[in-house]
């Protein structure tokens, strides 16, 4: 995995805001692989056929965002827990 | 908690619609970067450090969107973005070369609550910018100025040459000067007689500029991905707390 081909979850905030009624970048997810809890902003974002967010600690695939049949689809693969503070 | 009440509390952000922005003014920053001063009706307000998405639609319906950091502080009634042209990009050449006052395009935002700072929050600040990564950090310093905040703030900007440096005249004049220190390092060519830093950001530079780890500064690092990876590694190695290091990367693709 190249050190230079990713951005981070900040750059995916607008896209995820299509489906989440909260600020996506401050949502925390716990990685099912390593257990680390990090905000989506801290995740590495790779653009391919789908946008893939990887855990910044272990690089495991955490969230996939793509379009399916004209709809945006978010697959929380490898996610045990999603947390967000009350506003 | 009742389900309805929970949903209401979680729904505070609400969806982020596309809005039509009108260019009020265009400001040339460098030979390849301009600031677009935008009027956005019903803009919900933003925090320093946030960005927005710009969407352009061609006559044939083809759409392209890109993210740009907001340069203006929340206190202004306009939303300003500074755009650096990416060679062969799809969106930035239009925004940097073609757009004139009165033009309209769509924007969606503000986006991103992770990479933000408000004068209501504690300092000190350690801001490190690579190239146009200076834009969201400038919004923070302009916000600090608008609020006359005396929070200690250190800014280290890495620029290739003086011609590439954004906000060249404003940087040395930022207020309040008390507690503020701005340093620039030129990585390719420094101006004649330059006595400041030169070369890539390194541990010695950060140690000289930054509040030490013991001061527990909030660190904000923005720039191209390799720059951010490099600087955040230096900060972690120097002993800054991971939880205090906020990063925003922009990639080599797109534009």
């Amino acid at each position: 995995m190249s050190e230079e081909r990713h951005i981070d979850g900040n750059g995916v905030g607008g896209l995820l805001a299509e489906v989440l009624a909260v600020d996506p970048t401050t949502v925390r997810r716990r990685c099912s692989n390593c257990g680390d809890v990090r905000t989506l902003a801290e995740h590495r974002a790779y653009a391919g056929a789908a946008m893939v967010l990887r855990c910044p600690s272990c690089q495991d695939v955490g969230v996939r965002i793509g379009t399916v049949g004209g709809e945006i689809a978010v697959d929380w693969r490898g996610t045990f827990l999603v947390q967000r503070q009350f506003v | 908690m009742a389900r309805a009440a929970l949903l209401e509390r979680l729904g505070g952000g609400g969806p982020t619609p596309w809005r039509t922005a009108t260019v009020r003014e265009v400001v040339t920053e460098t030979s390849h970067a301009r600031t677009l001063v935008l009027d956005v009706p019903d803009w919900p307000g933003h925090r320093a450090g946030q960005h927005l998405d710009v969407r352009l639609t061609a006559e044939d319906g083809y759409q392209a969107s890109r993210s740009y950091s907001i340069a203006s502080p929340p206190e202004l009634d306009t939303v300003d973005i500074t755009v650096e042209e990416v060679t062969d990009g799809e969106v930035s050449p239009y925004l940097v070369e073609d757009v004139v006052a009165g033009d309209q395009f769509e924007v969606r935002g503000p986006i991103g609550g992770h990479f933000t700072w408000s004068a209501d929050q504690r300092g000190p600040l350690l801001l490190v910018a690579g190239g146009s990564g200076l834009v969201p950090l400038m919004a923070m310093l302009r916000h600090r100025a608008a609020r006359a905040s005396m929070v200690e703030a250190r800014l280290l900007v890495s620029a290739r040459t003086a011609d590439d440096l954004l906000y060249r005249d404003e940087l040395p004049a930022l207020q309040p000067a008390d507690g503020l220190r701005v340093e620039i390092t030129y990585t390719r060519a420094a101006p004649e007689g330059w006595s400041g830093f030169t070369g890539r950001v390194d541990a010695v530079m950060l140690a000289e500029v930054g509040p030490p780890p013991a001061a527990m500064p909030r660190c904000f690092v923005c720039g191209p991905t390799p720059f951010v990876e490099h600087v955040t590694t230096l900060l972690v190695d120097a002993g800054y707390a991971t939880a205090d290091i906020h990063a925003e990367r922009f990639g080599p693709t797109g534009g």
Side-chain angles (χ1 to χ4, degrees):
Chain A
M1 215 171 302
S2 162
E3 279 295 302
E4 316 210 342
R5 288 186 56 204
H6 63 285
I7 52 170
D8 57 38
N10 294 295
V12 189
L15 185 59
L16 271 174
E18 296 273 350
V19 288
L20 299 179
V22 300
D23 171 11
T25 61
T26 58
V27 167
R28 294 189 301 276
R29 74 171 274 280
R30 182 196 288 160
C31 178
S32 61
N33 184 52
C34 71
D36 230 15
V37 178
R38 305 286 284 268
T39 64
L40 290 190
E42 294 174 285
H43 281 57
R44 290 183 168 201
Y46 293 85
M51 182 64 82
V52 175
L53 295 182
R54 290 178 177 272
C55 171
S57 300
C58 74
Q59 311 303 321
D60 202 38
V61 172
V63 186
R64 297 185 301 169
I65 310 149
T67 49
V68 179
E71 291 185 328
I72 181 169
V74 180
D75 172 10
W76 295 86
R77 181 180 155 200
T79 300
F80 272 171
L81 180 66
V82 176
Q83 295 171 306
R84 175 175 170 263
Q85 288 182 326
F86 287 122
V87 288
Chain B
M1 188 182 303
R3 183 169 177 274
L6 179 68
L7 288 175
E8 192 177 322
R9 291 183 73 176
L10 286 174
T16 310
W18 289 101
R19 293 181 168 87
T20 300
T22 304
V23 178
R24 184 192 289 192
E25 190 187 347
V26 175
V27 180
T28 299
E29 301 286 359
T30 70
S31 61
H32 48 272
R34 297 199 306 182
T35 293
L36 306 182
V37 178
L38 305 177
D39 285 309
V40 186
D42 301 321
W43 180 251
H46 63 272
R47 281 176 283 159
Q50 290 188 296
H51 64 273
L52 52 72
D53 287 349
V54 169
R55 181 165 73 179
L56 303 180
T57 306
E59 280 178 19
D60 64 1
Y62 175 76
Q63 292 186 322
S65 65
R66 294 290 183 274
S67 298
Y68 295 103
S69 290
I70 299 169
S72 50
E75 288 77 13
L76 290 190
D77 66 347
T78 56
V79 182
D80 306 355
I81 56 173
T82 301
V83 181
E84 192 159 64
E85 185 167 354
V86 176
T87 310
D88 299 329
E90 271 189 329
V91 175
S92 64
Y94 170 75
L95 296 179
V96 174
E97 306 220 346
D98 300 336
V99 160
V100 296
D103 282 353
Q104 294 187 321
F105 49 80
E106 289 177 294
V107 300
R108 173 175 65 188
I111 298 163
H114 178 73
F115 195 85
T116 62
W117 178 75
S118 154
D120 299 326
Q121 295 175 296
R122 69 163 177 85
L125 293 176
L126 172 54
L127 313 176
V128 187
S132 58
L134 175 57
V135 178
L137 307 182
M138 197 63 178
M140 294 180 191
L141 291 177
R142 287 169 168 166
H143 169 60
R144 177 182 177 275
R147 293 280 297 270
S149 163
M150 306 290 264
V151 161
E152 189 184 351
R154 314 277 179 88
L155 171 67
L156 175 59
V157 186
S158 174
R160 279 184 296 226
T161 71
D163 290 334
D164 295 296
L165 181 63
L166 297 173
Y167 319 123
R168 201 180 353 171
D169 297 330
E170 185 179 350
L171 281 173
L174 278 167
Q175 297 293 327
D178 280 351
L180 177 65
R181 178 172 169 190
V182 175
E183 294 285 348
I184 297 149
T185 180
Y186 291 109
T187 57
R188 193 165 294 173
E192 189 103 356
W194 175 253
S195 58
F197 294 121
T198 56
R200 202 177 182 216
V201 172
D202 59 24
V204 174
M205 226 180 269
L206 284 173
E208 196 175 325
V209 172
M216 300 203 305
R218 286 167 182 258
C219 307
F220 291 90
V221 185
C222 188
T225 297
F227 176 86
V228 172
E229 298 294 342
H230 172 66
V231 173
T232 54
T233 300
L234 289 175
L235 291 173
V236 170
D237 289 349
Y240 292 94
T242 309
D244 285 335
I245 301 172
H246 299 262
E248 188 164 274
R249 302 159 174 84
F250 42 83
T253 56

